[in-house]
């Protein structure tokens, strides 16, 4: 009997504890479901009406039917899952378990075979956020791309770490650029996560696309690292709608960082658009988040750096060697030869990737080179490229300019703004010399006779001055599309035209900061303001770009032939930026048009602020 | 005429959008570069167990990713070493010819041998490891296993 009683007593006691735990849980479910750590782990964002909605779009990420919009329902469903027998599902949500088990009494986490394998393959030692820099001759790549690396504790190097990339999942064979653009902007694609060995990342960016990689090692605790890997596992099975401007590769990374350390509040800084480099700047700006910064130059940057260090004889021999791998290196010492051969081999690798030589040629030439290299005992004495200008320290992307000017002797005040990104006369620390990209540049003018006018809207303006040298032979180009206010040279009336311009040319590098260029331009102007509603011009342009920090100077002159004498015969332009610091500068601009002796001059000077 | 103006502006916007899309590589197109060949390792195993050698040859490494379909570095020492060489063969060839470099350090880590020693050995045995311009990755790997343990 006593035995029975004891049993009964124990039974009551046990039940009471369970009930107690549940009561405690139900009280705290309300509270807990509103905590940033829960909200950010399920990627909830508040919309304008104050309702929650998760950024993740696949049903499998939610356990409650209304889980996408209800943090509380999702929390309840998650707690229920962890107290159920559904091992398979539990194994999909290790990060949620790690978080919830600190606050709720949950059953022990099951042994998950696949998850365990993921950990043992990855062997996590830390997390880095990576920024892949601009590639040559592509100004818009200045926006960059970002991804994560889960650093490894495997023996060897971080080549054995893993990259975690988020990108739109696009079937290349079934799309064309227009559809790609439309779907990309409207969320027509889903973004997915991919995990790849870091050597694959290096090959993709450093070696194929020739972009530098910047590695920002994050200062995560062991617990944060553990949660990060678990969260990547959770997300890896799910997708979110992908928007190129807003919910893009870089933005989602910020949501992940917020999930690991909610106090960072990174994603809320980018409600409308997330430029990858801007997101990196936000990450770098947080206290106690970045441990180290490491630079991995692109193959092209390494080749250029080595070539620059060569003496005259080395250069001459090198240029012969990249054409003929058997070319004798007669007048070089052994020490001088080694670096020349190694660089020549890297140049062959570059050519292969660029499809400038075929695989067969590559094998033949490289085999000869490597055998020659192997015959020397000496090491390459040239320095390796180890440092660069940290792009996270470049100027901010929005620019407001205020100026005072003269338009054919009429004075005006001007205010202009663009949300992104860089012009040739801005401070170019951390950015590509000779590359310009501007989006939605708008100028308003206020003339002193009390007239307020909309001067121009440049939808996009891209200019790439990419220098030609003994090894590389890129085309320079420009593209622009704008709506502009122009003067009718005959009547002196003003009106609007829509103008599209495209130019191709070559750039010569005199010094690293001194370029000369020549371009052949085509431009088409449309608008009822003009006679015949349109005008087409062909022009030859020559120019100078000089960057002597803190001064940047751009000069150009262009001769044009047009279908209408509405367009100018010649144009001369000059622009000077004087940088007080990277975000604040003074500027002067002059634009002179010569149109059959009806000259037109526009002069403007003022201040520019980037923020 | 207003129509033409609007149309022209619209076309420009589309162009702009496309420019962005193309460039935010990685954000958009870049992800394509990530799509490795599925089942490569299984394929590799198949050829290994059949006693023949893989078809990966010198110089293909950049661009083709012969990695695990799940995307993680996996398997035992030898399988890892083969996969690593398969993906980094042309860089390894350079490092082997000079006896040092990142790929040698990595491989030494995988094989749990000293990087300096492995570097010296690969340099001394370069002609043996890379015996022809059509050398195949499994041949290279087997020879490295041989000399690393010698």
């Amino acid at each position: 009997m006593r035995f029975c009683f004891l049993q009964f007593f124990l039974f009551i006691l046990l039940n009471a504890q369970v009930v107690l735990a549940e009561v405690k849980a139900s009280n705290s479910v309300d509270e807990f479901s509103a905590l940033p750590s829960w909200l950010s782990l399920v990627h909830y964002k508040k919309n304008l009406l104050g309702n929650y909605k998760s950024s993740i779009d696949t049903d499998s990420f939610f356990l409650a039917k209304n889980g996408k919009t209800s943090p509380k329902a999702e929390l309840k469903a998650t707690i229920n899952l962890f107290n159920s027998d559904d091992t398979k599902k539990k194994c999909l949500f290790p990060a949620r378990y790690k978080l919830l088990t600190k606050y709720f009494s949950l059953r022990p986490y099951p042994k998950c075979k696949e998850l365990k394998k993921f950990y043992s393959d990855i062997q996590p030692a830390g997390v880095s956020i990576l920024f892949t820099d601009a590639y040559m001759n592509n100004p818009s790549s200045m926006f960059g791309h970002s991804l994560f690396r889960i650093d490894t504790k495997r023996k060897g190097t971080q080549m054995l770490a893993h990259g975690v990339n988020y990108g739109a999942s696009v079937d290349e064979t079934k799309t064309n650029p227009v559809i790609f653009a439309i779907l990309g902007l409207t969320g027509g694609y889903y973004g997915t996560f991919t995990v790849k060995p870091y050597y694959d990342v290096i090959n993709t960016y450093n070696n194929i696309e020739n972009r530098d990689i910047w590695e920002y090692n994050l200062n995560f605790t062991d617990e944060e690292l553990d949660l990060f890997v678990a969260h990547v596992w959770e997300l890896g099975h799910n997708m979110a709608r992908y928007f190129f401007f807003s919910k893009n590769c870089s933005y989602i990374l910020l949501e992940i960082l917020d999930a690991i350390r909610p106090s960072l509040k990174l994603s809320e800084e980018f409600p409308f658009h997330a430029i990858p480099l801007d997101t990196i700047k936000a990450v770098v700006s947080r206290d106690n988040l970045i441990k180290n910064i490491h630079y991995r130059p692109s193959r092209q940057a390494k080749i250029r750096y080595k070539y620059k260090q060569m003496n005259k004889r080395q250069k001459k021999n090198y240029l012969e060697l990249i054409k003929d791998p058997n070319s004798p290196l007669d007048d070089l010492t052994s020490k001088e030869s080694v670096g020349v051969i190694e660089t020549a081999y890297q140049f062959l690798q570059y050519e292969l990737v660029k499809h400038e030589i075929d695989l067969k040629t590559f094998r033949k030439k490289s085999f000869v080179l490597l055998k020659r290299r192997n015959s020397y005992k000496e090491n390459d004495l040239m320095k390796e490229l180890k440092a660069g200008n940290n792009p996270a320290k470049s100027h901010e992307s929005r620019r407001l300019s205020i100026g005072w000017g003269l338009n054919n002797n009429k004075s005006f005040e001007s205010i202009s703004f663009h949300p992104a990104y860089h012009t040739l006369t801005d401070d170019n620390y951390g950015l590509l010399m000779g590359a310009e990209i501007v989006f939605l540049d708008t100028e308003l003018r206020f003339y002193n006779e009390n007239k307020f006018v909309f001067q121009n809207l440049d939808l996009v303006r891209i200019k790439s001055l990419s220098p030609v040298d003994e090894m590389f032979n890129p085309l320079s180009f420009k593209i622009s599309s704008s709506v502009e206010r122009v003067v009718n040279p005959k009547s002196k009336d003003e009106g609007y035209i829509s103008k599209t311009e495209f130019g191709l040319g070559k750039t010569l590098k005199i010094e690293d900061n001194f370029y000369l260029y020549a371009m052949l331009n085509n431009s088409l102007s449309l608008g009822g303001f003009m006679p015949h509603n349109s005008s087409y011009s062909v022009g030859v342009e020559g120019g100078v770009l000089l960057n002597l920090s803190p001064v940047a100077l751009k000069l150009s002159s262009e001769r044009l032939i047009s279908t209408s004498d509405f367009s100018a015969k010649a144009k001369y332009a000059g622009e000077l930026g004087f940088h007080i610091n990277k975000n604040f500068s003074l500027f002067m601009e002059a634009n002179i048009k010569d149109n059959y002796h009806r000259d037109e001059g526009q002069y403007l000077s003022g201040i520019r602020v980037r923020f | 005429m207003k129509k033409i103006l609007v149309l022209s502006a619209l076309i420009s916007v589309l162009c702009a959008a496309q420019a962005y899309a193309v460039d935010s590589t990685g954000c958009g197109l870049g992800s394509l570069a990530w799509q490795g060949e599925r089942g490569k390792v299984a394929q590799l195993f198949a050829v290994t167990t059949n006693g023949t050698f893989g078809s990966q040859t010198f110089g293909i490494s950049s661009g083709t990713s012969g990695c695990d379909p799940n995307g993680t570095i996996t398997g035992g020492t030898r399988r890892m070493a083969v996969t690593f060489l398969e993906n980094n063969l042309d860089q390894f060839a350079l490092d082997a010819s000079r006896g040092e470099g990142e790929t040698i350090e990595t491989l030494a880590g995988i094989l749990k041998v000293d990087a300096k020693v492995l570097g010296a050995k690969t340099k001394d045995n370069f002609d043996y490891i890379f015996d022809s311009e059509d050398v195949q990755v499994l041949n290279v790997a087997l020879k490295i296993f041989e000399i690393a343990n010698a």
Side-chain angles (χ1 to χ4, degrees):
Chain A
M1 216 43 210
R2 261 178 79 188
F3 180 72
C4 261
F5 176 75
L6 194 65
Q7 248 185 349
F8 178 72
F9 183 74
L10 275 174
F11 178 76
I12 296 284
L13 200 72
L14 213 67
N15 267 293
Q17 265 185 339
V18 171
V19 170
L20 221 80
E22 268 171 15
V23 168
K24 191 179 130 206
S26 79
N27 272 341
S28 49
V29 161
D30 277 348
E31 264 172 53
F32 189 81
S33 70
L35 287 183
S37 50
W38 172 250
L39 294 173
S40 57
L41 196 66
V42 194
H43 294 253
Y44 289 113
K45 290 275 144 197
K46 237 182 194 160
N47 66 15
L48 290 173
L49 299 170
N51 299 322
Y52 282 111
K53 198 174 167 192
S54 172
S55 304
I56 308 298
D57 287 310
T58 35
D59 292 341
S60 56
F61 190 65
F62 304 101
L63 296 162
K65 254 192 181 156
N66 56 342
K68 188 174 160 66
T69 51
S70 170
K72 202 170 128 187
E74 185 62 19
L75 177 61
K76 276 185 187 162
T78 308
I79 294 170
N80 286 342
L81 169 71
F82 289 132
N83 284 324
S84 76
D85 293 321
D86 192 346
T87 303
K88 205 177 157 197
K89 224 172 203 175
K90 283 183 197 175
C91 287
L92 294 176
F93 296 98
R96 290 193 194 180
Y97 186 87
K98 280 178 203 295
L99 178 69
L100 295 185
T101 194
K102 288 194 283 184
Y103 300 90
F104 301 94
S105 53
L106 304 175
R107 290 206 217 161
Y109 197 66
K111 285 198 170 66
C112 304
K113 210 176 137 202
E114 285 175 36
L115 179 61
K116 209 178 149 203
K117 181 179 174 294
F118 185 65
Y119 270 90
S120 71
D121 283 352
I122 302 265
Q123 298 201 20
V127 178
S128 302
I129 189 163
L130 311 177
F131 177 72
T132 62
D133 218 338
Y135 33 90
M136 290 303 286
N137 211 17
N138 195 338
S140 29
S141 66
M142 276 196 292
F143 291 125
H145 171 54
S146 62
L147 64 158
F148 284 125
R149 186 183 75 188
I150 305 179
D151 306 343
T152 186
K153 55 182 180 217
R154 279 185 190 275
K155 277 191 166 182
T157 67
Q158 290 303 324
M159 282 184 108
L160 300 176
H162 288 82
V164 179
N165 188 62
Y166 178 74
S169 168
V170 183
D171 186 348
E172 201 179 11
T173 56
K174 284 185 194 156
T175 192
N176 70 51
V178 176
I179 294 176
F180 179 74
I182 293 171
L183 291 179
L185 290 170
T186 56
Y189 294 118
Y190 277 102
T192 49
F193 291 91
T194 24
V195 175
K196 288 278 136 111
Y198 191 47
Y199 54 71
D200 255 19
V201 178
I202 295 170
N203 272 332
T204 302
Y205 294 108
N206 273 174
N207 299 339
I208 298 176
E209 297 186 356
N210 282 298
R211 303 164 76 167
D212 297 343
I213 301 175
W214 286 84
E215 305 165 350
Y216 302 88
N217 310 127
L218 302 181
N219 195 8
F220 273 178
T221 63
D222 290 348
E223 198 185 334
E224 285 173 324
L225 169 62
D226 198 32
L227 187 65
F228 180 91
V229 177
H231 191 51
V232 164
W233 176 258
E234 260 175 26
L235 286 175
H237 297 90
N238 294 286
M239 299 187 282
R241 281 195 181 278
Y242 195 94
F243 296 83
F244 281 119
F245 286 111
S246 51
K247 275 170 73 178
N248 58 21
C249 55
S250 298
Y251 173 79
I252 293 290
L253 302 195
L254 298 183
E255 282 200 2
I256 294 174
L257 291 177
D258 286 345
I260 306 308
R261 202 185 279 181
S263 62
L264 292 173
K265 295 183 177 167
L266 285 161
S267 57
E268 65 186 41
E269 270 185 39
F270 299 90
F272 305 116
H273 71 287
I275 296 173
L277 183 51
D278 287 353
T279 67
I280 294 291
K281 284 176 185 165
V283 170
V284 170
S285 75
R286 294 300 190 266
D287 290 338
N288 194 29
L289 185 58
I290 304 292
K291 203 162 52 177
N292 278 309
I293 301 175
H294 181 243
Y295 168 64
R296 265 197 94 93
S298 70
R299 181 180 281 154
Q300 193 181 29
K302 283 192 241 175
I303 295 170
R304 279 186 199 267
Y305 187 72
K306 285 281 167 88
Y307 183 73
K308 220 177 144 181
Q309 291 177 67
M310 291 181 196
N311 62 36
K312 260 195 180 155
R313 280 174 298 110
Q314 280 179 304
K315 279 184 181 162
K316 186 178 140 281
N317 278 283
Y318 167 79
L319 294 173
E320 279 160 18
L321 196 62
I322 57 177
K323 283 186 206 119
D324 173 14
N326 287 306
S327 126
L329 303 168
D330 289 341
D331 50 347
L332 294 185
T333 65
S334 298
K335 280 180 181 168
E336 286 172 330
S337 303
V338 169
V340 167
I341 300 172
E342 287 183 11
T343 312
Y345 178 77
Q346 289 179 299
F347 185 73
L348 278 189
Q349 290 179 301
Y350 170 88
E351 282 188 307
L352 174 69
V353 167
K354 287 269 166 194
H355 303 292
E356 282 165 16
I357 54 172
D358 61 20
L359 188 60
K360 215 177 155 192
T361 316
F362 171 79
R363 283 186 199 155
K364 201 171 262 167
K365 283 186 167 181
S366 59
F367 196 64
V368 175
L369 282 182
L370 290 181
K371 282 206 168 255
R372 289 184 80 175
R373 166 62 189 94
N374 189 241
S375 68
Y376 292 97
K377 280 204 169 64
E378 291 80 359
N379 287 331
D380 179 13
L381 290 179
M382 289 190 278
K383 278 182 288 185
E384 299 295 330
L385 180 52
K386 284 198 173 131
N389 291 342
N390 184 355
K393 288 188 176 163
S394 63
H395 64 65
E396 301 294 329
S397 52
R398 284 171 291 215
R399 189 177 89 177
L400 180 72
S401 310
I402 295 168
W404 297 267
L406 284 173
N407 174 8
N408 288 336
N409 299 322
K410 284 182 290 178
S411 63
F412 63 88
E413 280 125 43
S414 151
I415 180 163
S416 65
F417 172 78
H418 60 236
Y421 192 72
H422 177 69
T423 73
L424 294 178
T425 52
D426 283 315
D427 181 74
N428 74 342
Y429 183 90
L431 299 168
L432 206 57
M433 166 87 180
E436 168 170 295
I437 180 157
V438 178
F439 272 111
L440 300 175
D441 193 47
T442 313
E443 184 187 355
L444 301 173
R445 285 183 181 177
F446 188 74
Y447 281 93
N448 290 357
E449 58 262 36
N450 287 332
K451 203 172 79 175
F452 186 71
V453 299
F454 161 71
Q455 180 64 26
N456 71 285
L457 167 64
D458 288 8
L459 295 165
V460 62
R461 210 165 71 221
I462 295 174
K463 194 164 198 169
S464 176
L465 303 177
S466 192
V468 168
D469 60 24
E470 297 88 341
M471 291 176 279
F472 306 105
N473 189 15
L475 274 176
S476 293
F477 66 90
K478 68 174 178 181
I479 297 172
S480 70
S481 173
S482 58
V483 175
E484 281 173 30
R485 187 179 176 88
V486 292
V487 184
N488 182 328
K490 280 182 190 154
S491 64
K492 298 286 177 200
D493 285 344
E494 293 193 3
Y496 294 98
I497 58 163
S498 161
K499 186 174 168 188
T500 307
E501 188 172 23
F502 177 69
L504 280 178
K506 290 279 174 186
T507 301
L508 209 62
K509 183 164 84 177
I510 308 297
E511 287 290 331
D512 279 348
N513 54 2
F514 183 24
Y515 290 0
L516 299 180
Y517 72 91
M519 256 183 212
L520 187 66
N521 298 328
N522 287 275
S523 76
L524 178 66
S525 302
L526 299 171
F529 174 68
M530 291 182 291
H532 312 296
N533 297 329
S534 69
S535 171
Y536 173 73
S537 311
V538 179
V540 180
E541 179 186 344
V544 177
L545 177 64
L546 181 64
N547 216 316
L548 279 174
S549 191
V551 175
L553 176 70
K554 188 180 81 172
L555 295 171
S556 67
S557 84
E558 184 180 6
R559 288 295 240 171
L560 299 108
I561 304 169
S562 306
T563 56
S564 144
D565 64 359
F566 188 87
S567 299
K569 200 170 70 174
K571 285 182 193 172
Y572 309 94
E575 193 178 321
L576 179 99
F578 180 81
H579 315 124
I580 310 287
N581 62 43
K582 66 180 181 183
N583 289 321
F584 189 81
S585 53
L586 308 176
F587 76 97
M588 271 163 40
E589 275 176 43
N591 284 288
I592 298 160
K593 283 184 193 170
D594 173 2
N595 194 344
Y596 303 96
H597 309 296
R598 290 182 294 257
D599 291 357
E600 182 193 333
Q602 306 239 12
Y603 308 90
L604 183 63
S605 63
I607 53 172
R608 288 169 176 168
V609 185
R610 287 204 172 268
F611 59 103
Chain B
M1 239 336 90
K2 227 178 189 175
K3 261 186 201 162
I4 291 185
L5 191 81
V6 170
L7 191 70
S8 158
L10 189 70
I11 288 169
S12 314
V13 169
L14 286 178
C15 291
Q18 198 199 328
Y20 192 100
V22 170
D23 297 303
S24 45
T25 303
C27 283
L29 281 179
S31 61
L32 293 173
W34 281 74
Q35 291 169 4
E37 286 173 56
R38 288 187 74 82
K40 197 78 191 249
V41 166
Q43 207 183 313
L44 183 72
F45 260 135
V47 290
T48 331
T49 47
N50 283 339
T52 52
F53 293 129
S55 60
Q56 185 82 329
T57 49
F58 199 51
I60 303 189
S61 61
S62 347
T64 55
S65 154
C67 40
D68 190 287
N70 296 319
T72 53
I73 294 169
T74 194
T77 302
R78 292 199 160 198
R79 179 170 160 195
M80 261 174 65
V82 171
T83 312
F84 177 75
L85 284 169
E86 191 182 27
N87 284 282
N88 297 281
L89 194 62
D90 60 334
Q91 195 55 42
F92 174 75
L94 175 63
D95 289 349
S97 77
R98 64 184 172 195
E100 61 175 3
E102 199 180 15
T103 61
I104 296 217
E105 284 169 43
T106 310
L107 200 63
I110 296 173
L111 300 174
K112 299 187 180 67
V113 295
D114 184 79
K116 278 212 170 113
V117 175
L118 183 69
K121 282 180 174 175
T122 53
K123 189 173 178 180
D124 291 346
N125 293 288
F126 182 79
D127 287 343
Y128 174 61
I129 302 171
F130 292 92
D131 56 0
S132 87
E133 61 191 54
D134 295 320
V135 66
Q136 302 203 332
V137 72
L138 274 169
N139 261 331
V140 171
L142 291 173
K143 285 177 179 173
I144 289 166
F145 298 154
E146 184 192 327
I147 62 162
N149 297 320

